[in-house]
Amino acid sequence: MILHQYYLGCLAHASYLIGDETTGTAVIVDPQRDVDQYLEDAKRQGLTIKHVFLTHFHADFLAGHLELRDRAGAKIHLGPAAEAEFAFDRFGEGSRLELGRVRLEALETPGHTPEAISILVYDLDRSADHPYAALTGDTLFIGDVGRPDLLASVGVTADQLAAMLYDSLHEKLLRLPDETLVYPAHGAGSLCGKNMSKETVSTMGVQRRYNYALQPMSKEDFVRLLTTDLPDSPQYFAYDAALNKKERAGLEETLARNLRGLSLAEFMERRAAGAQVIDTREANEYAMAYVPGSLNVPLSGQYATWAGTLLDPAKAIVVIADPGREQESEMRLGRIGFDRVEGYLEGGIEAAEAQPGLLQHTDRITAVTVAEEMESAQAPLILDVRAPGERQQKRIEGSLHIPLSHLRERLNEIPRDRPIVAQCASGYRSSIAASLLRQNGFTDVRDLVGGLAAWEASRLAVVS
């Protein structure tokens, strides 16, 4: 048996290749949309990908099931409660797929979503009675369980899903042997849970002992626990969950259409027509020269998550990137189904210099300078754009708190007659926030270099 985990850090997403060397057959579980790595690894190991499973309809990324169907001829398998536009095989409770010396068996584990399944993996050379591993999707994470609120707007409540999840855990997964390996679909940083570990594999025994959501409690207490203090879910989650059920173009076809260089004139024409401009360069480069109205979301961080949160998938998008990183910029948008990309500025930001007066620049500010300015008559307002949980742990006294995910809808709470300094934990989100503020007419805006970490490193006071 071959069992290989692929981990995509920017989306905190885990997918899996399961192979049987005796038959040369491979299965992919919860694939990302760019599927080349699965195809290349299968070929290298003498395997043919014949099956692809989704443990559920993912909300935080667009899965690669249609890509594997079209490029490898793989049959798609979903839970029995799933409904989709494309043809698929229903893989319900007790269903088995035999692959020589490997067996896959389904457990129906609704709760994160109604159609969710977990997949038991048996290595028959080890044991035909005890599963070697459980691929738990978003039902059970390392240190956490799936949040039940992501489908609350489509006919099922968070309380109902949490109750389903309790039954799935207690009647199915918690009955597995302690030594069964647990392989989830996400890790720390994903918004599909609220307390995930950085570890990407564990055992049922360890989870039984240390996972807070698996400790003895009533169903009522479990539902209350799981529906309290949930982080905001990005707006694109509902979009992706729906798109994962639909027949659509593959990523390869989409990139072939969208990955085209635009002259400055073409770029300006699309910008004037209302296309959203996303600049994927680093914050310091963006500050030195940027196109007015562009949104700065650097590739170095959770690019897809924040692009998905702040861009509208129904509107056209044009990209500014460092030369050589245009494909990465567009491909990572494709991973979340943002396919209305009309191209990128050929030559990058330097091409925009050909139009006098187009580019603007802004200053970033250090922690020490902010502290000094706070003592002046024109003291800036520090705008903290971190999540509420981060804010509760520590904050700069006197700062205004508006999470980045809610910034656009709460702009009226920010004074326009006072200098603004955007602040986050490290400086990544604050640059995004500053660009969004400028996009909406705020003129005296800077972002704090290094964020709260730099503030504390400068031995400046925080409120705990």
Side-chain angles (χ1 to χ4, degrees), residues 95-341:
S95 295
R96 291 184 173 185
L97 180 62
E98 303 283 349
L99 310 170
R101 302 303 299 159
V102 178
R103 180 199 304 146
L104 305 183
E105 184 174 321
L107 294 178
E108 293 181 30
T109 52
H112 177 67
T113 65
E115 79 288 346
I117 59 173
S118 297
I119 301 171
L120 302 182
V121 182
Y122 289 82
D123 181 351
L124 300 181
D125 288 334
R126 297 173 188 242
S127 173
D129 300 317
H130 299 291
Y132 173 74
L135 307 187
T136 55
D138 286 15
T139 299
L140 175 61
F141 298 124
I142 310 305
D144 202 358
V145 294
R147 58 190 291 180
D149 64 315
L150 298 183
L151 290 179
S153 62
V154 291
V156 59
T157 69
D159 284 3
Q160 289 171 326
L161 284 169
M164 293 181 199
L165 185 58
Y166 181 90
D167 292 338
S168 295
L169 295 167
H170 287 266
E171 296 176 10
K172 306 287 180 66
L173 293 176
L174 279 170
R175 295 183 179 182
L176 296 175
D178 280 352
E179 63 271 18
T180 306
L181 294 174
V182 175
Y183 284 104
H186 289 293
S190 168
L191 290 172
C192 293
K194 59 181 180 180
N195 192 46
M196 282 181 259
S197 168
K198 293 181 180 178
E199 302 297 322
T200 61
V201 62
S202 183
T203 66
M204 277 307 308
V206 170
Q207 291 310 296
R208 198 188 317 277
R209 183 173 181 182
Y210 294 109
N211 190 318
Y212 77 96
L214 302 185
Q215 302 313 301
M217 68 184 82
S218 68
K219 183 183 290 189
E220 291 74 19
D221 287 342
F222 179 87
V223 169
R224 191 178 306 110
L225 177 67
L226 254 66
T227 54
T228 302
D229 295 330
L230 288 165
D232 288 337
S233 60
Q235 292 183 358
Y236 81 92
F237 273 27
Y239 171 78
D240 274 16
L243 193 55
N244 272 318
K245 302 177 184 181
K246 295 181 179 180
E247 186 67 49
R248 53 161 176 77
L251 182 62
E252 205 174 32
E253 176 187 342
T254 299
L255 287 178
R257 180 185 67 241
N258 296 351
L259 193 62
R260 58 184 297 263
L262 302 173
S263 68
L264 181 58
E266 291 173 316
F267 171 85
M268 295 299 291
E269 179 181 331
R270 284 162 173 77
R271 174 174 172 262
Q276 304 165 100
V277 181
I278 183 169
D279 190 323
T280 69
R281 297 174 300 142
E282 292 303 304
N284 59 329
E285 298 172 355
Y286 178 85
M288 289 189 288
Y290 67 91
V291 173
S294 60
L295 185 71
N296 178 220
V297 187
L299 287 171
S300 58
Q302 289 185 304
Y303 167 74
T305 297
W306 287 113
T309 299
L310 299 172
L311 294 178
D312 184 344
K315 295 182 179 179
I317 300 168
V318 289
V319 172
I320 299 173
D322 285 321
R325 304 198 75 179
E326 300 91 352
Q327 181 171 359
E328 180 185 359
S329 300
E330 293 195 22
M331 183 269 292
R332 289 172 65 179
L333 289 174
R335 283 178 177 161
I336 57 169
F338 279 51
D339 290 350
R340 289 206 58 192
V341 179

Side-chain angles (χ1 to χ4, degrees), residues 373 378-382 417-421 444-446:
E373 290 189 5
Q378 284 294 315
L381 173 67
I382 298 178
D417 58 352
R418 186 175 173 187
I420 306 296
V421 174
D444 194 351
V445 180
R446 294 165 291 177

